[in-house]
Amino acid sequence: MGIIERQDLLAVYYAGNSREQTKYRHEYSLVEVKKRERDLSPLLKKLPADILRFLEIAGDLAEKYQLRLYLVGGQVRDIFLKVENRDLDLVLEGDLESYIRELADVFKVQYIYNAQFRTGNLVLPCGLNIDLAGLRRESYRYSGALPDVEPAEDILEDLFRRDYTVNSLVLSLNKAEWGLLLDFFNGLEDLQEGKLRLLHPFSFLDDPIRIIRGIRLAVKTGFTFEEESFALLEEVLTKADFSRLSLDRVLKEMELLFASPVDPALVALLRSYPVFRLLKLELEIDEKLTEQARELESYLAEFGEKNYNIEEWVMRMALFLADAGEGVLNWKVRSDFKEIFLAYYRYKHLLVELDRNLAADELAAKLKGLRDEELLILLVKAGSRRIKENILRYMKELKDIELKINGRDLLANGLEPGPLIREILDEVYRKRLKGSLDTREEQLAYARDLIRKSGENKE
Ligand code: CTP
């Protein structure tokens, strides 16, 4: 029986305080919890020199105050995967604020400290981004809530709040135990076998965003979900209620998921797992998306020189949201993001109209006002070659054409204020699109001609 079916158990779990939640995680843990150790100091020597130097200095500083310091999370995982990672997560047993202050002092950098969450951050000039945290115990009041944070009793309890076993490995940085790997959840074996395994069955409910993190990790490493964790993933995605999950938090994780070009493996995973349910969206993920994503990348590279002021992840995600429509309309997100997410939904009717030979002015009239990013989404989604050619022609040849005269010029030439001003400017613009009237003088002469003719018509 799945965890959600056992509603009674969930009710007790979410009614419990943080200590009780830890107890439940332990009791139902998906692996045998046992401390396994291994000397990794030879592996550490292969780290980039700046990372190694930082870890040594940070470890020595902790030693000086007899505090224990650990490297945790993604960096430890990536040491084994031999993937470069410029983010470091450190956990300190002891007074975090004074430790960070001194550490920042040693490196002569600024630091941030958050007393409520017992976390801090500093960035070194060499680009290393260092997150620090005290031992934390997290508990959730309901599925998808922000966690309440309290001090944890030991490193094991701190690790129990984390997502996958491969992210639960810790490395001791103190001198006496330099490079000693502590593996409580058999994460090393999962890492070697390429398995994503949750620590406990409440994990996806505590924080459904971990599903997206898992998919990101699966794409990056080729790992697959272990059977029981996969069953939990499917159960949560089909039955859980995400109504209280914060849109901002999900989008932050989506931003990471779509930070790099869309891999065919990602399309396959998103086809199999309805992760967009976390955004309350039921989407059909089409196989065609792999090709569309590839096409998008080539257009992004081609038009990239134009300096988009929008993040590429938004464009990549917009491809997947093409049919989301109504579901996205109410999102409280940056308006430019929303326009791009909604581009296909709003303008797909144009694609039909663009599937014929169009004169420059007709084409411009249809696509005028759309931003580059919206045009790119339509371009990638367009079914026929003719539509694509039309959109590209507009983007490359017509979009940037502007008139060198304006309404004031027409007033100065004797035209009365009124709708005729717009009509004459439009007429000049149409002629300009056809390739003539390059200079201001020519445009002005043509406009005068039109003003004169309109006067004659009146008489
Ligand atoms: N974590 C979690 N649930 C989240 C976010 C983070 O359990 N929603 C845990 C993970 O165990 C993770 C650790 O917190 O290893 C640190 O988080 P973060 O720095 O975001 O991730 P990393 O795994 O270190 O790095 P990456 O983003 O490269 O996977």
Side-chain angles (χ1 to χ4, degrees):
M1 192 194 284
I3 189 92
I4 297 183
E5 256 109 56
R6 299 161 76 179
Q7 285 298 342
D8 45 338
L9 177 61
L10 283 187
V12 184
Y13 177 79
Y14 284 113
N17 59 31
S18 63
R19 209 178 292 269
E20 285 165 46
Q21 287 197 358
T22 305
K23 248 177 39 214
Y24 273 99
R25 289 173 194 155
H26 213 296
E27 190 177 331
Y28 288 87
S29 109
L30 296 182
V31 282
E32 187 202 353
V33 182
K34 189 173 106 189
K35 184 153 124 187
R36 302 156 182 93
E37 295 184 346
R38 194 159 145 183
D39 175 20
L40 279 198
S41 52
L43 253 188
L44 290 193
K45 290 198 190 112
K46 296 191 185 139
L47 279 173
D50 55 354
I51 296 188
L52 185 58
R53 181 170 162 269
F54 171 77
L55 292 177
E56 284 169 352
I57 293 174
D60 287 349
L61 185 64
E63 189 74 39
K64 180 172 152 196
Y65 293 103
Q66 295 183 334
L67 306 171
R68 305 189 67 88
L69 182 71
Y70 302 97
L71 178 67
V72 295
Q75 180 70 233
V76 186
R77 178 196 68 214
D78 289 345
I79 289 177
F80 286 100
L81 297 176
K82 303 195 171 51
V83 174
E84 175 156 346
N85 185 339
R86 305 291 290 166
D87 291 328
L88 300 176
D89 281 298
L90 299 179
V91 169
L92 182 83
E93 284 187 32
D95 176 4
L96 185 63
E97 189 177 10
S98 34
Y99 176 78
I100 295 186
R101 196 184 316 120
E102 277 212 37
L103 191 62
D105 223 37
V106 173
F107 287 93
K108 307 209 170 14
V109 291
Q110 301 286 318
Y111 70 93
I112 297 171
Y113 176 72
N114 179 324
Q116 188 196 346
F117 289 117
R118 301 165 53 80
T119 55
N121 173 272
L122 40 99
V123 178
L124 301 192
C126 62
L128 282 182
N129 178 43
I130 296 130
D131 284 328
L132 296 106
L135 290 180
R136 284 146 51 106
R137 173 163 71 214
E138 287 180 354
S139 60
Y140 299 82
R141 269 163 293 155
Y142 54 85
S143 170
L146 274 180
D148 293 320
V149 176
E150 282 176 74
E153 259 149 43
D154 52 30
I155 185 74
L156 175 60
E157 197 178 25
D158 181 281
L159 293 175
F160 242 123
R161 70 181 170 82
R162 295 166 188 267
D163 52 5
Y164 298 97
T165 59
V166 295
N167 285 337
S168 72
L169 299 166
V170 290
L171 261 183
S172 177
L173 299 177
N174 293 72
K175 210 159 234 129
E177 292 186 352
W178 170 257
L180 184 69
L181 179 80
L182 306 181
D183 176 8
F184 291 92
F185 302 93
N186 215 13
L188 195 51
E189 194 174 305
D190 284 339
L191 195 58
Q192 276 149 358
E193 292 180 6
K195 290 205 170 113
L196 295 174
R197 186 193 309 268
L198 293 175
L199 305 186
H200 58 83
F202 308 97
S203 188
F204 283 146
L205 285 171
D206 282 350
D207 185 359
I209 284 169
R210 290 173 172 163
I211 297 176
I212 315 177
R213 284 177 53 85
I215 289 178
R216 176 160 58 89
L217 202 52
V219 173
K220 171 173 157 174
T221 58
F223 287 10
T224 53
F225 288 95
E226 157 285 328
E227 211 176 308
E228 212 170 343
S229 303
F230 181 68
L232 286 161
L233 178 150
E234 285 209 306
E235 188 193 27
V236 167
L237 281 181
T238 28
K239 300 191 188 137
D241 167 17
F242 302 118
S243 56
R244 294 208 269 179
L245 187 59
S246 133
L247 170 69
D248 280 353
R249 286 187 58 219
V250 180
L251 285 183
K252 276 215 181 79
E253 200 55 48
M254 288 289 183
E255 180 172 347
L256 297 176
L257 187 67
F258 289 109
S260 15
V262 175
D263 198 288
L266 175 59
V267 179
L269 286 166
L270 295 177
R271 265 166 73 76
S272 318
Y273 314 149
V275 212
F276 287 97
R277 287 198 181 145
L278 265 53
L279 294 163
K280 291 121 210 143
L281 298 173
E282 283 302 328
L283 301 181
E284 280 281 335
I285 308 284
D286 200 302
E287 228 172 285
K288 283 192 218 127
L289 271 159
T290 305
E291 177 50 26
Q292 292 177 358
R294 204 195 48 73
E295 213 181 304
L296 176 68
E297 293 308 324
S298 72
Y299 287 126
L300 285 175
E302 182 182 345
F303 289 92
E305 294 156 10
K306 281 183 135 188
N307 254 334
Y308 287 102
N309 50 13
I310 191 96
E311 283 89 341
E312 292 184 342
W313 74 270
V314 179
M315 310 274 296
R316 296 186 183 115
M317 185 164 154
L319 289 188
F320 288 83
L321 294 183
D323 293 315
E326 305 283 324
V328 175
L329 274 177
N330 300 325
W331 284 6
K332 290 197 175 61
V333 288
R334 265 172 59 172
S335 60
D336 49 352
F337 285 11
K338 195 149 130 182
E339 279 174 21
I340 293 162
F341 288 149
L342 285 169
Y344 183 71
Y345 172 73
R346 280 201 177 133
Y347 300 111
K348 64 174 172 228
H349 65 278
L350 286 178
L351 294 180
V352 186
E353 298 172 27
L354 291 172
D355 201 3
R356 54 196 180 86
N357 296 329
L358 291 163
D361 56 334
E362 289 177 294
L363 181 57
K366 291 191 190 303
L367 294 178
K368 202 163 189 280
L370 269 74
R371 52 164 80 233
D372 285 343
E373 292 85 350
E374 291 170 311
L375 290 165
L376 277 181
I377 299 291
L378 288 184
L379 180 61
V380 170
K381 290 281 172 188
S384 86
R385 202 191 174 110
R386 187 158 49 179
I387 308 178
K388 286 188 197 289
E389 279 168 3
N390 272 332
I391 299 177
L392 279 171
R393 181 165 144 234
Y394 174 73
M395 291 182 80
K396 289 181 177 169
E397 295 168 22
L398 307 176
K399 187 171 181 293
D400 296 329
I401 291 182
E402 277 173 17
L403 282 188
K404 291 173 178 146
I405 59 170
N406 57 31
R408 274 192 305 277
D409 295 313
L410 303 193
L411 292 173
N413 277 277
L415 198 63
E416 297 290 320
L420 206 51
I421 295 192
R422 181 77 277 144
E423 283 170 32
I424 289 182
L425 284 175
D426 282 352
E427 185 54 38
V428 180
Y429 180 61
R430 273 195 289 277
K431 195 152 168 83
R432 171 76 195 94
L433 286 175
K434 285 181 184 151
S436 56
L437 307 185
D438 198 15
T439 66
R440 177 175 153 80
E441 285 62 40
E442 285 166 326
Q443 292 173 13
L444 215 46
Y446 185 59
R448 282 198 201 103
D449 216 28
L450 293 172
I451 293 173
R452 193 171 40 72
K453 282 193 186 133
S454 76
E456 283 168 11
N457 285 347
K458 256 193 240 159
E459 280 162 16

